[in-house]
Amino acid sequence: MVMNNNLARELEIDVPLRSPEAPKESPVHMPAPRKAGITRIEKLLVVSVSIVVFALMTFYISQEIMISTLNRTLQDKTVTIANEQNVNENLSQEIQELSRYDRVYEIAKKAGLTMNEANIRNVSK
């Protein structure tokens, strides 16, 4: 029977059964995410940038208003100059018509004046 010792024996070993649940891990302490608030410097920066943008917009609008006012004034002056030039041209034409030689000679005759060649001078512009 000594040979029987070489045979495999069935051993009864208590093996703990594993449950299908995963083993519980110890919780890792993580700090709660903190919402990043707006700092005083950021607030100051936002306020100062807003003030600068508002000032620039106000300056731009005032410049545009001034430019449009000046353009309107320029157009009014141009129209006035054109009207005055038109009046001047009309008056020059009227002077030309009134200073015709035959008309002047006729008026002189009616006034009883005579033509004296010694008193005539030629005047040019």
Side-chain angles (χ1 to χ4, degrees), residues 12-18:
E12 292 182 18
I13 301 176
D14 290 333
V15 178
L17 297 176
R18 289 191 181 175

Side-chain angles (χ1 to χ4, degrees), residues 101 105 113-122:
Y101 178 77
Y105 189 71
L113 301 174
T114 59
M115 176 85 97
N116 187 354
E117 295 288 333
N119 291 334
I120 295 177
R121 285 188 274 170
N122 285 332

